[in-house]
Amino acid sequence: MPLRVVLMGTGDFAVPPFRAVLESSHQVVAALTQPDKTGRGHHQHVNVVKQLAESFNVPVLQPERVNRPEILEQLRSFNADVFLVAAYGQILRPALLEIPRLGAFNLHGSLLPRHRGAAPVQYSIWKGDTVTGVTIFQIELALDSGPMIGKVETPIGAKETSGELMLRLADLSVPLTLDSLSRLENGTAHFERQNESLVTLSPKIAREDGIIQWKQTGREIDCQVRAMQPWPKASTTLQRPGHPDLRCIIQDVDVLASYNGPSTAHPGNLTVDHGRMIVRTGEGAVEILKLQPEGRKAVDNRSFLNGNPMPDGSCFV
């Protein structure tokens, strides 16, 4: 018999799997998402999960605090078999997790137990992983620690950013989600405990995580630049003799195995070589391919150099 499902999610990551469940034989009885946000100029941000659920005439709840007694009572009234969670954004307490007949299950953007926490996709790139994926697991009180019922793996592209990887993982989670619900429906789901010795954490990304430390290796800087897109973006400050400091967002780099600039150069020192911007790192170097000066549009390295002379001693700090 098809399952009665409550969907709980907020961002773009939730949309493909939620749409697949809405279009399946399962009965989605409600959708929970974060309250609407108002940006600058009182502009209302589009809540994509709310928009999706309403297009299927599914009731939408947007509680400020999902664990309040009156919300729990509403959730009980749906008589759900499963709560399906994807990037919801609130901690689910035991009283809530006990409501669905078969349990609450979370779609997580990494291969657990690696990268438990709020930012698994960013950390997969930032920490130099070559493979990642999506895990669906039963939610327990401890952070992302519950037994797993399915995984899907995928290589990380050499130039892939967090934003690009997030959208790709969302699409990859669709068959995983439908298969997992089918196995829960027919009683064949296999619950696998996580190996606690392999746990790593991926706490929420902070703005300062985007500041580039040039003493890192070239590979580490490349990973940071890609991991911090679309937010908070990788940033640095350009210092040039005779010019004011200029904050820049670095959008794309190439890793160079060796550095052929001045032997006295320190990490962050900049060399211009036939229109190329080469920056010394803690190990090797990187070539800046695309950057965005503060308050201006993003440009490639040659366009930037055309309007910004680089006297000897120029560096990023």
Side-chain angles (χ1 to χ4, degrees):
M1 180 177 294
L3 300 174
R4 293 174 59 85
V5 181
V6 170
L7 304 175
M8 306 177 73
T10 300
D12 290 333
F13 180 71
V15 171
F18 283 8
R19 179 181 295 279
V21 177
L22 286 160
E23 293 175 345
S24 74
S25 61
H26 300 295
Q27 183 181 0
V28 177
V29 292
L32 274 74
T33 188
Q34 291 281 60
D36 295 333
K37 293 183 179 180
T38 302
R40 292 181 179 178
H42 304 288
H43 174 72
Q44 198 80 9
H45 292 289
V46 175
N47 185 317
V48 290
V49 169
K50 177 181 179 180
Q51 197 173 58
L52 174 66
E54 288 179 341
S55 72
F56 283 83
N57 297 313
V58 170
V60 176
L61 281 65
Q62 296 180 272
E64 291 279 356
R65 291 185 235 173
V66 72
N67 298 288
R68 292 179 65 88
E70 63 271 22
I71 304 301
L72 298 183
E73 195 59 37
Q74 276 187 285
L75 289 172
R76 292 187 187 98
S77 72
F78 294 123
N79 195 29
D81 298 303
V82 169
F83 289 175
L84 180 65
V85 184
Y88 177 50
Q90 294 193 42
I91 294 173
L92 309 183
R93 301 298 182 191
L96 185 149
L97 298 175
E98 293 169 358
I99 293 174
R101 179 175 66 88
L102 297 175
F105 296 84
N106 187 70
L107 287 163
H108 186 81
S110 79
L111 298 175
L112 289 172
R114 187 160 176 79
H115 303 314
R116 289 181 182 175
V121 178
Q122 292 93 328
Y123 271 78
S124 294
I125 293 178
W126 195 7
K127 299 308 174 184
D129 296 1
T130 58
V131 176
T132 188
V134 181
T135 304
I136 184 167
F137 67 95
Q138 186 168 16
I139 302 173
E140 295 181 344
L141 188 57
L143 177 68
D144 298 336
S145 64
M148 305 172 292
I149 61 170
K151 286 184 178 182
V152 60
E153 295 187 9
T154 184
I156 297 175
K159 282 291 188 180
E160 201 160 25
T161 67
S162 289
E164 293 165 343
L165 180 58
M166 178 83 73
L167 295 177
R168 195 161 63 80
L169 291 177
D171 289 335
L172 285 172
S173 72
V174 169
L176 172 68
T177 301
L178 295 177
D179 178 65
S180 298
L181 290 178
S182 293
R183 287 185 284 114
L184 288 169
E185 178 186 1
N186 60 34
T188 59
H190 172 68
F191 291 76
E192 178 187 354
R193 298 303 310 183
Q194 296 184 38
N195 186 341
E196 294 294 322
S197 69
L198 300 178
V199 170
T200 66
L201 300 179
S202 61
K204 186 176 180 180
I205 297 291
R207 187 177 297 275
E208 54 267 26
D209 289 329
I211 299 172
I212 297 174
Q213 303 295 327
W214 293 99
K215 63 184 179 181
Q216 299 178 98
T217 68
R219 166 68 172 157
E220 288 170 338
I221 289 169
D222 171 58
C223 290
Q224 182 184 15
V225 167
R226 292 183 293 112
M228 298 301 151
Q229 295 182 49
W231 192 89
K233 298 185 173 64
S235 64
T236 186
T237 299
L238 176 61
Q239 293 184 342
R240 296 174 292 165
H243 297 268
D245 289 357
L246 179 63
R247 182 178 177 271
C248 296
I249 292 170
I250 306 300
Q251 293 193 355
D252 193 14
V253 302
D254 261 351
V255 180
L256 307 179
S258 60
Y259 175 74
N260 297 319
S263 60
T264 56
H266 298 288
N269 282 171
L270 175 63
T271 302
V272 177
D273 182 11
H274 295 90
R276 303 169 68 203
M277 297 177 65
I278 310 299
V279 187
R280 177 73 179 266
T281 65
E283 180 182 309
V286 296
E287 179 182 358
I288 306 294
L289 299 180
K290 188 176 182 180
L291 69 166
Q292 181 180 6
E294 189 169 34
R296 306 180 207 167
K297 293 182 178 180
V299 293
D300 62 30
N301 51 0
R302 293 181 183 272
S303 298
F304 180 78
L305 291 172
N306 285 338
N308 296 276
M310 295 294 159
D312 290 344
S314 297
C315 63
F316 287 114
V317 296

